[in-house]
Amino acid sequence: MLAVSDTGVGMDEATKARIFEPFFTTKGPGKGTGLGLATVYGIVKQSGGFIWVYSEPGLGTTFKIYLPRVDAAATATAAAPASAGSPRGTETVLLVEDADAVRAVTHQALARQGYTVLDAPNGAEALRIAADHPGPIHLLLTDVVMPGLSGRQLSDQLARLRPDTKVLFTSGYTDDAVVRHGVLESGIAYLQKPFTVDGLARKVREVLGRPLHD
């Protein structure tokens, strides 16, 4: 459990009820995106945790973030090399993610890199969008584990509709869970959650740059 407290102005119940909504902010125009807490919420939920919040006007706020315990020893991670800027693009990406906060943040990150983004909360809606969209869809960026159609089932059905669309899978689940959904196979493009904006941009650019059948 990670606890963070402040001694600020606090929140009333109406405000507290909306703080994890994407794009909700109490700041003035141009001073806040409303994506900070939405991003935190999305990452924590994808990691199998939850957030508890206590706040009263004039008494500050306390957040408690609960995450699953991992018994395995930590492994060292090499520092990423300095970046000269995230790669950009102009292609159309179909983003499919059932977590509203994660979908909103990912959509904005891709749009800022120059991509045209179509998004859907589930596989059925994604297939409808793909059928109705008049232009090309260059990339399907989809979560693996979703209600209804899984990411793999969606990609298989989309391939019949749009065989030229490339696919990038994402998931916050363990490798074992992703293997069970038939994704972690040789040649399959996969991005582990949580990812950084730069990591997302580079992986999307990498997949779009690959031959369709390698």
Side-chain angles (χ1 to χ4, degrees):
M1 185 273 288
L2 172 67
V4 181
S5 298
D6 66 38
T7 56
V9 298
M11 297 178 285
D12 58 25
E13 289 299 319
T15 300
K16 190 170 69 171
R18 300 189 61 192
I19 57 174
F20 297 118
E21 294 180 13
F23 306 112
F24 173 75
T25 179
T26 57
K27 297 179 180 179
K31 295 184 178 181
T33 64
L35 289 174
L37 285 175
T39 302
V40 172
Y41 182 84
I43 291 172
V44 171
K45 294 297 287 185
Q46 288 287 341
S47 301
F50 65 95
I51 303 179
W52 176 92
V53 57
Y54 176 79
S55 184
E56 288 186 27
L59 297 179
T61 301
T62 295
F63 287 92
K64 291 185 178 181
I65 299 174
Y66 294 84
L67 296 170
R69 184 179 65 188
V70 177
D71 293 327
T75 56
T77 302
S83 172
S86 299
R88 300 175 60 83
T90 58
E91 293 92 339
T92 297
V93 178
L94 175 56
L95 166 65
V96 189
E97 167 63 65
D98 61 307
D100 293 343
V102 178
R103 188 172 68 255
V105 173
T106 307
H107 184 134
Q108 185 173 80
L110 290 170
R112 284 179 172 175
Q113 295 305 119
Y115 297 100
T116 297
V117 186
L118 313 171
D119 68 50
N122 54 62
E125 179 66 10
L127 290 172
R128 186 195 66 76
I129 291 172
D132 293 344
H133 184 66
I137 296 176
H138 301 90
L139 178 70
L140 168 66
L141 173 60
T142 180
D143 193 15
V144 173
V145 183
M146 299 184 293
L149 291 176
S150 70
R152 188 58 187 265
Q153 291 170 329
L154 168 60
S155 71
D156 289 344
Q157 293 191 31
L158 185 67
R160 294 193 288 270
L161 186 65
R162 291 180 175 264
D164 293 334
T165 299
K166 297 174 181 178
V167 182
L168 172 57
F169 294 101
T170 71
S171 180
Y173 286 87
T174 63
D175 287 357
D176 287 344
V178 177
V179 166
R180 287 197 299 271
H181 283 79
V183 171
L184 285 187
E185 302 169 0
S186 177
I188 297 294
Y190 176 70
L191 180 63
Q192 178 73 41
K193 295 178 184 174
F195 45 75
T196 64
V197 170
D198 184 68
L200 171 66
R202 292 184 181 281
K203 191 66 177 182
V204 166
R205 194 70 258 149
E206 173 193 322
V207 175
L208 284 170
R210 292 179 182 175
L212 187 60
H213 302 290
D214 53 355

